[in-house]
Structures are given as C-alpha cells and as structure tokens.
Amino acid sequence: KKILIYPKTFHLTKNNSITNNITTISTEHQKILSSLIISLSLNTSLKEIIDTFYKNSSARSFGINTNGLLPEACEKLVKSVLLDYPDISLKLSVSIDAIGEKHDEIRGIKGNFESVKKTIEKIKKISENYKNLDLRINLTYSSFNQNEITDIIDYLKENFNLPVGIGLARGNTRNSDAKNVTPEGYLKACTYLKGKYDKKRKALDYF
C-alpha cells in the first residue's frame, strides 16, 4: 500500500500499522506538505487520514480517488470532511473508463457504472453548497476503450458536464493488454478532449 503526497509517493511499511505510518509521515514531512492524494482502497478510515494530516502538517488541499462503488460511503465521507474543515480544498476524482456495461467489463465488476452514476449524483448535490469541493472525472485511455474514446468523451460532457482528465494505462494494470496503445492515439484523444472544454472549466488542468 502507498500514499501519495505531492510530489512524492510514500510506501507504507509492513512492520507498522497504517495509522502509525500516517502519523509518522504527516509529522516528519509537515513542512513540505501542501497537497495530499489518497485512495478509497486504503484499508483504513480516510477521515482519520485527513484528520491526521490536517493536524500535523500544513496540508490544506486533499484529493480522493474513487472507483465510485460505494456511493453512500463516499457521500458520508465528503460531508464529514467539509463540515469539519471548511478551510480546505477537497477534490474528488471518480474513475470512468467506458459507458455502461463496457465500463463494468473493463473494471471486472458488474454494476460498477450504475454505482459511479449514483456517486456522482450524490456528490454533485453536495457541491452545490460547498465551493471548496471540486468534483471531477478520471478517464484512463487503454486498448479496451481506444476505439470508442471520442464517444466516451462526448457522453461524459453531455451527461455529467464535469472536468475530465485523461490518463494513460500504465504500471500494474489488472490486464496487461490494457497498455497496448500508441502515444499518437493518446495524444489524439487528449486533443479531442481539450476541444470539448474551455479554460473557465479548468479542463486544461487535467492533461
């Protein structure tokens, strides 16, 4: 397991609890911390992570990445964080790789896409009352969606109208075939995405 603190990734040690790891990192690196990105896959309370870094460091910008599988849990977490820390900037990135059942197929979880839609709906409602909440979509370009990438981008724009970032399948993917893409194809997808958004939507921050 690991925790990403811009501009560095810290790997949690096996001979210590996650809670102790987080406390140590937040204390030892308190002077360099300004932004923190955490993942819903971490086997601990995300609220506890944010509590610890808020207390022990200067971090006031927090980013949470989620696959959107737990709409109610995500809603509860976001509400709790914003109520307790009104002075922070909270960014929630929801992963979408395709439309409908194709997304479920890529992720290997039936019903994932419907859960994602519910998560976005719930967090959108919260964002109406919190200007410091930034909801966005993460799209990963891979061999599994490269042929439909423009249709996916169009769908995201028309149905969610949220800032969208497009990443590239890399590292330890669930299926190694996902990385069978070309730089030219990725650049073409990025260029198409840029054409869908203007600077006022801060879309250019995501490439």
Side-chain angles (χ1 to χ4, degrees), residues 104-123:
D104 296 353
E105 179 184 335
I106 293 174
R107 290 279 165 166
I109 303 175
K110 187 176 181 180
N112 193 340
F113 189 73
E114 289 302 314
S115 294
V116 165
K117 288 167 62 177
K118 291 179 182 178
T119 297
I120 291 176
E121 181 181 357
K122 288 179 178 295
I123 304 305

Side-chain angles (χ1 to χ4, degrees), residues 31-172:
K31 292 183 179 180
I32 67 168
L33 291 179
S34 61
S35 181
L36 173 68
I37 302 175
I38 51 185
S39 170
L40 280 174
S41 64
L42 282 173
N43 187 26
T44 188
S45 167
L46 291 184
K47 183 58 165 53
E48 181 182 352
I49 295 175
I50 293 175
D51 289 342
T52 302
F53 277 93
Y54 187 93
K55 176 182 177 182
N56 295 334
S57 75
S58 60
R60 294 297 181 267
S61 176
F62 296 87
I64 300 175
N65 300 324
T66 177
N67 56 19
L69 281 173
L70 303 171
E72 289 75 20
C74 190
E75 177 186 33
K76 181 179 179 181
L77 171 67
V78 170
K79 283 183 176 180
S80 177
V81 171
L82 293 173
L83 284 172
D84 286 354
Y85 306 114
D87 61 324
I88 71 166
S89 172
L90 180 63
K91 300 176 179 64
L92 184 75
S93 299
V94 183
S95 297
I96 296 181
D97 296 329
I99 304 169
E101 293 182 357
K102 182 64 180 290
H103 175 81
D104 296 353
E105 179 184 335
I106 293 174
R107 290 279 165 166
I109 303 175
K110 187 176 181 180
N112 193 340
F113 189 73
E114 289 302 314
S115 294
V116 165
K117 288 167 62 177
K118 291 179 182 178
T119 297
I120 291 176
E121 181 181 357
K122 288 179 178 295
I123 304 305
K124 262 191 170 183
K125 290 182 179 179
I126 298 175
S127 67
E128 293 174 0
N129 298 314
Y130 291 92
K131 292 183 179 181
N132 55 330
L133 172 59
D134 179 7
L135 176 61
R136 57 182 70 175
I137 293 173
N138 277 343
L139 171 62
T140 300
Y141 181 79
S142 73
S143 63
F144 302 128
N145 63 11
Q146 60 181 341
N147 294 329
E148 302 89 28
I149 197 67
T150 56
D151 291 336
I152 296 170
I153 292 171
D154 290 344
Y155 178 91
L156 297 180
K157 172 69 174 178
E158 294 169 8
N159 290 270
F160 300 116
N161 196 29
L162 293 170
V164 178
I166 184 167
L168 183 64
R170 63 191 186 280
N172 297 321

Side-chain angles (χ1 to χ4, degrees), residues 2-22:
K2 60 186 178 181
I3 188 166
L4 173 63
I5 306 167
Y6 182 81
K8 185 175 181 181
T9 299
F10 295 89
H11 291 270
L12 306 183
T13 58
K14 296 182 179 180
N15 60 348
N16 209 345
S17 70
I18 291 180
T19 300
N20 288 340
N21 268 280
I22 292 169

